[in-house]
Amino acid sequence: MSQLGPEKNIYQPHLVEIIKVIPETWDTKTFHIQFQDAAVQESFSFLSGQFGEYSVFGEGEATFCISSSPTRLDHLEFSVKRIGRVTHALHQLNQGDLIGFRGPYGNHFPLDKLKGKNLLFVGGGIGLAPLRSLIHNVLDNRLDYREITILYGARSPQDLCFKYDLETWSRNPTVKMITTVDVGDKDWKGQVGLVPNILEEVGPSADGAVAITCGPPIMIRYALRSMEKLGFTPSQVWTTLEMKMKCGLGKCGRCNIGPLYVCKDGPVFSLAEIQSFLSDEF
Amino acid sequence: MYRKISKENLRKWLGELKARAAILAPAKERGLWSYREFGLQDFPLRFRNSRLPPKGLFLDPLRALFAWKSSGGSVQLTPLPPLNGQRILIGLKPCDARALRILEPIFTRDYPDVFFLDNLSRTLRLGQACSVLCTGSFCLEMGIDPQESADFDIFFREIPAGYLARVLTDQGRTFTEGDFFAEASAGEWDLARREMPEKKEKPLFRLERVPAGVAQSFPDKNFWERVSAKCINCGICTYLCPTCHCFDLGDLQMPGQGVRFRCWDSCAFPGFTKMAGHNPREEKWRRYRQRVSHKFNFFYQSFQSIACVGCGRCVVHCPVNLDLREVLVEVAR
Amino acid sequence: MPETIKDELIALAAKLFREGKISHFLGYQKGTLKFQTTPLIALNPEDLQHLWLEDFFFFNLAFYLKEIKNKVGLLVKGCDSRSLLSLIKEGQVKREDLYVVGIPCPGQIDLRKVAEAIAGEREEIEEIWRQGNEVHVRVNDQEKRLPKALALLDKCLHCRYPKPLISDFLLPGEYAPPVPPATPETTQGLSRGRDELRPKPLPEKWAFWVDQFQHCLRCYACRNVCPACFCPRCIVEENMPQWVSPLPTAGDNFVFHLMRLMHVAGTCVSCGECQRVCPMEIPLMRLHDKMAEDLEELYNFVAGIDLDQPLPFRTFRQEDADDFIK
């Protein structure tokens, strides 16, 4: 993977410009960015599942997955939930503002294991961000994959992210798109129910299928149980592990769990891998 | 290759080298030993080891990484260069030298960290054989020989007439060329080996049992709660440890400009793994388990060496005498 | 300690455990290194078999009350008991949740002073024992004798409260100051003597502390071992906004220590643990002692000696000195 960052200083980011800000929900925004240096933009590439370290100079650095697809490299996208210092600072920024980017870091979703298979995407809340990179990637090469089912849920209609994508995918005849909310409102006409329950209702077959899931830890925990009921084996299920990361380079020690560093050996793991080292820490 | 040198000539040799390099030697100041600019006085007697490990000379406690200037809508980034200038480190001990070797792969692999690596390459490491075992140490159990080591450029053993030197690297050889050093034999080198007065009859624990023992005790919450009960969650064991290397990145902002730094951090601190919604190591026993497991099991799995050299600093300076040796004895049973 | 006293203490604790009056008992057990004890956190009477109170019980165990929130029995020296009063006054612990056992203290030995007196390293000390008013030290098979006043912690030379000010049970023994009040002659100008900095002009004092805090590693041992630092989340850990940078720059280190000093004013009882645990030998007690003296002089306040005196930094009185307003 081409490692970007000024030649020898692995901690120094590239300057990127915010070219668009999309408010997703009351506390989530998506940012579209481009490298200030056109040559860098030209040569940059990454794989779905990888992340970057984004700097607001003076506030700090934070980790976000690259949520755009590697098949569309004119700009990058990432989504931010406003929770702490850096995310608050990011939410104050507008089109034209400059921030820093280091990356791409981490491993990626194993496309070779997905090709020729039925794909089941299960996402919750902002967990759709890493999945979205993979979904667009897959849809841009549609013929390499068989049936595609996307199940996405949020707490309420106001918490749904990437509504424009949900719209696009539901209009795609080659995709089965199910959107659900835990609690509806008077205008909501769609599905109501927790993601794991809807998953069992939809009941996709585990035969020749691979499942990829991202979302809040509690959703993942129950979704995995539902997948197990549907016959998915641990090596058929992929997810991203969330652990506090700082350097992204496998050096600062923060994301160390077992013999692995989530920033180097992950964040993408199969359930089989997680079960082998996943102590009680997760 | 072996050489020997008289005390007189050693001082002359270092005097010459002082023109080409900064010489850092053990000195006692403010009540503790550290490596300081050497003033060519007599070598300190009674030096066992420094309070802070020499890792701080390679992984700086505070290192500026890059700077920025912002005005109007534009931002300019300037990388800050690693420090340069040849250094000679004297009086380094086998435990600390081994620790530097243990640290190297972390800062070399995948993304080479020039700040650490340049510090390594610009420093000539001159070692000193120990004459006593440090209080609280367990270097022998960790497979370190206080009297023999290949982890230096030149390793010295004291003899009545001066020093014997084992030259281990090409750089070491270059530095020992000239008239100050005379040739010596392997036989002389062997004869200069001292018996350590406090050497124990029986080791505290068998090192080969430790990684598996730590792995086996991983799920035993009661064990980890019991052994970590008195820990006060400070950073002394991690900061005084020659192999601990966890760090943090942080910004210092002034109007219109700022700097990003790297500084030491500790997995013992409660906030180390804290995320916005969740802290996987909220409880003290989890953090202690992680520290011991990382050093004695996980690091070993990744790098085939245990991240501990038994220097004993954590044992001596823990504010509550939480003795790692006791924990290792129990897990290796 | 005589077996009978230890047995008595164990029987007492056993009763407290049995009756559900305590869930933990805090005491001291023999350390793994010479000349030290280690905290004993007993969860049942059997654990107390390890009690060892011969010497070197310097810990102020009150700091564990920050972490252990149930009913606790603990051993306290006279000075430690002041921390308990401070914590009760600050609403951090309830009197009825404590079973306080006082222990008589012969004064605690300062290993740094002993090492200095023998002109050697702490590791070289082979044996320390007490005899009458002297502390005997064996080093290199030679015996040296020091008058107590040269071997004890600074705070012991000025002990005003040898008997616990709050207790449910007192172990038998003599509760008296270990030495008569110190004089310049008895302390013989030791490097850690308290009065060295006092007469110096302010710029020199400033320069002294700027130099000292450069060496601070931000290990936070001083803060964590201090009973008066009971904030569940220290202000240093706050980053929205960031009051003190966690980076160990000289300036931020200075701010951290001065901030901590001011925050514990009124609760700090000068137990000296912060100085003992500092791995970089920063003489923190000079600041804490000065602060305690200032509080006594300005507000007639001494921390931890009663429950009635209002806390100086929580209270305003018309007659408070205001000559610092220029």
Side-chain angles (χ1 to χ4, degrees):
Chain A
M1 242 323 81
S2 65
Q3 291 320 323
L4 293 191
E7 257 334 288
K8 287 182 124 198
N9 189 335
I10 58 176
Y11 301 101
Q12 183 170 327
H14 278 284
L15 281 175
V16 294
E17 182 182 328
I18 298 174
I19 60 172
K20 191 167 183 182
V21 182
I22 303 175
E24 303 281 355
T25 70
W26 68 282
D27 66 350
T28 308
K29 284 186 182 177
T30 294
F31 295 87
H32 292 203
I33 53 175
Q34 270 183 334
F35 290 94
Q36 222 187 20
D37 185 339
V40 172
Q41 184 69 53
E42 261 298 307
S43 59
F44 183 81
S45 71
F46 69 100
L47 296 169
S48 292
Q50 291 192 300
F51 66 94
E53 292 284 343
Y54 304 77
S55 290
V56 178
F57 300 110
E59 305 289 334
E61 231 178 10
T63 311
F64 305 103
C65 72
I66 303 173
S67 71
S68 50
S69 169
T71 51
R72 309 174 191 187
L73 286 174
D74 57 301
H75 68 274
L76 300 181
E77 299 176 19
F78 67 103
S79 302
V80 177
K81 194 174 172 121
R82 189 189 62 233
I83 314 177
R85 187 186 167 96
V86 177
T87 53
H88 262 81
L90 277 168
H91 272 232
Q92 307 302 318
L93 299 178
N94 302 299
Q95 198 172 324
D97 286 333
L98 294 171
I99 58 174
F101 173 87
R102 284 195 293 123
Y105 297 132
N107 70 350
H108 51 274
F109 290 110
L111 281 182
D112 53 320
K113 296 205 164 64
L114 273 50
K115 288 199 172 133
K117 296 273 184 2
N118 297 330
L119 303 181
L120 169 65
F121 294 96
V122 180
I126 197 181
L128 188 53
L131 286 183
R132 164 178 190 268
S133 168
L134 184 57
I135 294 173
H136 280 297
N137 193 345
V138 155
L139 291 179
D140 284 348
N141 292 293
R142 185 65 186 88
L143 296 175
D144 287 342
Y145 310 91
R146 297 191 34 222
E147 284 169 35
I148 295 182
T149 308
I150 306 173
L151 168 55
Y152 173 66
R155 271 197 299 262
S156 73
Q158 282 71 42
D159 293 297
L160 291 167
C161 295
F162 308 111
K163 295 206 253 293
Y164 38 91
D165 284 330
L166 303 177
E167 174 77 357
T168 310
W169 297 334
S170 58
R171 284 196 266 108
N172 186 329
T174 72
V175 170
K176 185 170 181 181
M177 174 79 229
I178 307 129
T179 308
T180 179
V181 292
D182 295 354
V183 174
D185 62 19
K186 58 180 172 52
D187 299 315
W188 180 251
K189 304 278 189 293
Q191 280 268 29
V192 173
L194 297 171
V195 164
N197 297 341
I198 303 294
L199 176 58
E200 288 185 36
E201 270 179 38
V202 172
S205 163
D207 242 344
V210 176
I212 309 100
T213 177
C214 296
I218 187 148
M219 184 217 87
I220 295 203
R221 197 173 312 147
Y222 286 99
L224 292 178
R225 280 194 213 164
S226 303
M227 286 182 202
E228 219 178 330
K229 282 197 209 163
L230 292 169
F232 282 85
T233 64
S235 44
Q236 280 175 276
V237 180
W238 295 83
T239 186
T240 55
L241 216 56
E242 209 197 333
M243 194 82 172
K244 176 97 183 173
M245 295 187 234
K246 259 290 160 92
C247 70
L249 307 160
K251 292 180 183 356
C252 78
R254 209 170 245 82
C255 67
N256 173 241
I257 179 167
L260 307 174
Y261 288 86
V262 177
C263 69
K264 247 179 54 64
D265 307 296
V268 176
F269 291 103
S270 74
L271 188 56
E273 286 172 306
I274 291 180
Q275 282 174 348
S276 70
F277 72 81
L278 231 196
S279 44
D280 43 31
E281 290 190 317
F282 221 85
Chain B
M1 182 178 123
Y2 301 98
R3 291 253 179 283
K4 60 183 162 200
I5 188 169
S6 67
K7 287 197 165 73
E8 178 73 34
N9 278 343
L10 183 71
R11 198 173 304 135
K12 287 188 185 160
W13 176 62
L14 290 172
E16 260 191 28
L17 290 179
K18 220 169 184 297
R20 300 155 50 185
I23 304 186
L24 302 168
K28 190 166 184 183
E29 232 178 62
R30 299 177 59 253
L32 50 84
W33 288 97
S34 61
Y35 290 92
R36 306 245 146 204
E37 282 271 359
F38 184 53
L40 295 180
Q41 62 273 19
D42 279 318
F43 274 110
L45 304 170
R46 304 181 129 133
F47 170 66
R48 292 172 185 225
N49 214 343
S50 54
R51 177 67 58 94
L52 279 185
K55 82 171 173 195
L57 297 172
F58 302 91
L59 176 67
D60 315 276
L62 185 66
R63 165 57 35 217
L65 302 170
F66 64 91
W68 58 87
K69 270 196 172 61
S70 44
S71 61
S74 76
V75 175
Q76 230 179 316
L77 294 183
T78 320
L80 295 171
L83 300 173
N84 59 14
Q86 178 73 45
R87 298 185 302 188
I88 301 176
L89 189 53
I90 312 178
L92 191 55
K93 292 306 173 99
C95 53
D96 290 334
R98 173 66 57 83
L100 292 174
R101 289 256 185 266
I102 291 172
L103 287 178
E104 230 180 296
I106 300 166
F107 293 94
T108 316
R109 70 168 186 178
D110 301 318
Y111 309 92
D113 181 326
V114 284
F115 299 98
F116 183 87
L117 297 174
D118 277 11
N119 276 339
L120 268 188
S121 61
R122 70 187 181 103
T123 310
L124 191 74
R125 285 167 266 175
L126 305 190
Q128 169 92 35
C130 305
S131 49
V132 290
L133 286 177
C134 295
T135 310
S137 69
F138 49 103
C139 50
L140 296 171
E141 282 87 344
M142 297 309 297
I144 312 257
D145 184 346
Q147 288 267 307
E148 186 68 272
S149 168
D151 296 325
F152 299 95
D153 291 290
I154 310 169
F155 189 45
F156 289 91
R157 275 184 185 166
E158 198 174 346
I159 50 175
Y163 295 91
L164 280 174
R166 186 173 164 211
V167 183
L168 292 150
T169 63
D170 288 333
Q171 250 219 319
R173 190 167 307 137
T174 318
F175 273 80
T176 51
E177 273 158 10
D179 302 321
F180 294 119
F181 287 87
E183 275 220 32
S185 68
E188 283 175 276
W189 176 256
D190 290 338
L191 274 175
R193 192 189 174 88
R194 302 233 206 129
E195 259 322 296
M196 308 289 279
E198 303 92 340
K199 192 160 172 178
K200 295 158 230 155
E201 299 303 312
K202 199 166 86 101
L204 288 173
F205 55 84
R206 299 257 304 279
L207 182 61
E208 60 270 19
R209 295 231 270 259
V210 172
V214 171
Q216 261 163 17
S217 22
F218 193 86
D220 190 348
K221 174 183 176 212
N222 290 333
F223 169 73
W224 294 107
E225 275 185 321
R226 176 169 51 85
V227 296
S228 67
K230 56 193 181 188
C231 172
I232 66 170
N233 303 301
C234 70
I236 287 182
C237 57
T238 50
Y239 287 175
L240 266 58
C241 172
T243 56
C244 274
H245 53 273
C246 283
F247 60 84
D248 195 7
L249 298 170
D251 292 359
L252 223 52
Q253 176 77 20
M254 304 291 267
Q257 58 182 330
V259 178
R260 175 160 300 159
F261 287 93
R262 178 187 64 196
C263 68
W264 287 359
D265 204 347
S266 173
C267 63
F269 293 151
F272 189 64
T273 48
K274 187 172 193 297
M275 291 178 274
H278 167 54
N279 185 352
R281 296 192 189 117
E282 178 86 50
E283 301 98 318
K284 180 167 73 176
W285 66 270
R286 289 186 191 274
R287 292 193 293 278
Y288 191 69
R289 176 179 71 171
Q290 164 66 11
R291 178 149 197 277
V292 176
S293 302
H294 180 236
K295 296 174 94 56
F296 293 91
N297 179 19
F298 305 143
F299 192 92
Y300 180 66
Q301 285 182 47
S302 308
F303 296 97
Q304 289 74 55
S305 58
I306 292 186
C308 171
V309 294
C311 70
R313 289 178 176 98
C314 61
V315 172
V316 172
H317 296 288
C318 172
V320 291
N321 188 215
L322 208 190
D323 197 321
L324 178 63
R325 298 174 301 177
E326 289 188 319
V327 179
L328 294 174
V329 167
E330 243 189 285
V331 292
R333 246 204 284 270
Chain C
M1 93 194 297
E3 277 307 299
T4 49
I5 298 187
K6 182 172 161 185
D7 290 340
E8 203 181 334
L9 185 53
I10 293 180
L12 171 61
K15 185 164 183 283
L16 294 167
F17 274 114
R18 220 173 24 243
E19 292 172 0
K21 295 218 167 90
I22 59 172
S23 61
H24 296 72
F25 194 94
L26 310 176
Y28 308 91
Q29 73 180 73
K30 197 151 195 263
T32 60
L33 299 170
K34 281 195 213 172
F35 321 129
Q36 72 175 140
T37 52
T38 186
L40 168 60
I41 303 178
L43 299 169
N44 52 57
E46 290 71 51
D47 289 340
L48 290 169
Q49 292 299 331
H50 300 289
L51 265 178
W52 190 84
L53 295 176
E54 303 300 324
D55 203 340
F56 311 113
F57 40 92
F58 40 74
F59 295 99
N60 178 353
L61 295 170
F63 79 86
Y64 279 116
L65 298 175
K66 293 192 281 186
E67 195 185 319
I68 302 172
K69 292 295 183 192
N70 328 44
K71 294 185 192 294
V72 173
L74 73 167
L75 286 174
V76 293
K77 310 186 282 293
C79 43
D80 306 335
S81 70
R82 290 173 59 195
S83 282
L84 293 182
L85 283 174
S86 275
L87 289 174
I88 294 170
K89 195 189 266 189
E90 293 265 20
Q92 294 303 304
V93 84
K94 294 205 197 87
R95 175 63 183 98
E96 56 266 27
D97 287 345
L98 297 175
Y99 192 90
V100 185
V101 179
I103 88 177
C105 174
Q108 293 300 318
I109 291 180
D110 185 342
L111 291 171
R112 288 169 172 132
K113 282 190 190 174
V114 171
E116 208 183 299
I118 59 156
E121 304 290 320
R122 251 186 280 185
E123 295 85 21
E124 292 170 331
I125 305 172
E126 284 153 25
E127 213 187 319
I128 298 179
W129 70 99
R130 304 182 196 231
Q131 213 161 28
N133 271 331
E134 288 183 322
V135 172
H136 296 239
V137 185
R138 185 160 55 82
V139 60
N140 286 334
D141 283 323
Q142 288 188 317
E143 197 183 301
K144 266 201 102 158
R145 293 184 196 191
L146 298 167
K148 259 212 275 193
L150 291 189
L152 298 182
L153 293 172
D154 283 342
K155 68 169 179 177
C156 300
L157 304 179
H158 307 269
C159 177
R160 287 197 278 181
Y161 308 98
K163 186 168 163 187
L165 298 165
I166 163 182
S167 67
D168 294 292
F169 184 78
L170 288 176
L171 292 179
E174 203 197 338
Y175 289 88
V179 291
T183 62
E185 288 77 42
T186 55
T187 53
Q188 288 179 15
L190 276 179
S191 67
R192 292 176 88 85
R194 47 160 69 189
D195 290 321
E196 198 186 281
L197 263 184
R198 296 293 175 85
K200 302 257 165 76
L202 192 55
E204 217 177 304
K205 292 189 199 184
W206 181 264
F208 175 83
W209 289 109
V210 163
D211 177 58
Q212 290 295 333
F213 290 131
Q214 255 191 79
H215 299 278
C216 173
L217 300 174
R218 303 289 205 95
C219 68
Y220 302 115
C222 53
R223 175 193 74 180
N224 293 6
V225 87
C226 173
C229 270
F230 49 72
C231 290
R233 185 174 153 99
C234 177
I235 203 167
V236 174
E237 277 141 32
E238 184 59 65
N239 73 349
M240 281 177 78
Q242 188 145 75
W243 302 99
V244 185
S245 174
L247 299 169
T249 66
D252 290 293
N253 290 351
F254 205 139
V255 171
F256 166 68
H257 282 284
L258 284 192
M259 194 188 277
R260 192 180 92 79
L261 181 68
M262 288 297 113
H263 280 186
V264 299
T267 313
C268 165
V269 300
S270 308
C271 72
E273 281 288 272
C274 52
Q275 179 169 284
R276 176 185 71 80
V277 304
C278 176
M280 299 309 288
E281 308 287 324
I282 299 174
L284 295 168
M285 283 312 289
R286 295 193 201 199
L287 292 169
H288 290 266
D289 282 340
K290 178 68 166 69
M291 180 181 67
E293 285 175 30
D294 286 351
L295 284 177
E296 200 170 349
E297 191 186 306
L298 292 171
Y299 306 112
N300 203 29
F301 177 87
V302 177
I305 55 170
D306 63 35
L307 290 174
D308 308 313
Q309 276 191 295
L311 292 164
F313 284 1
R314 313 271 194 282
T315 325
F316 174 73
R317 300 175 309 183
Q318 281 291 96
E319 61 266 32
D320 283 339
D322 59 4
D323 54 352
F324 50 87
I325 301 174
K326 306 275 183 237

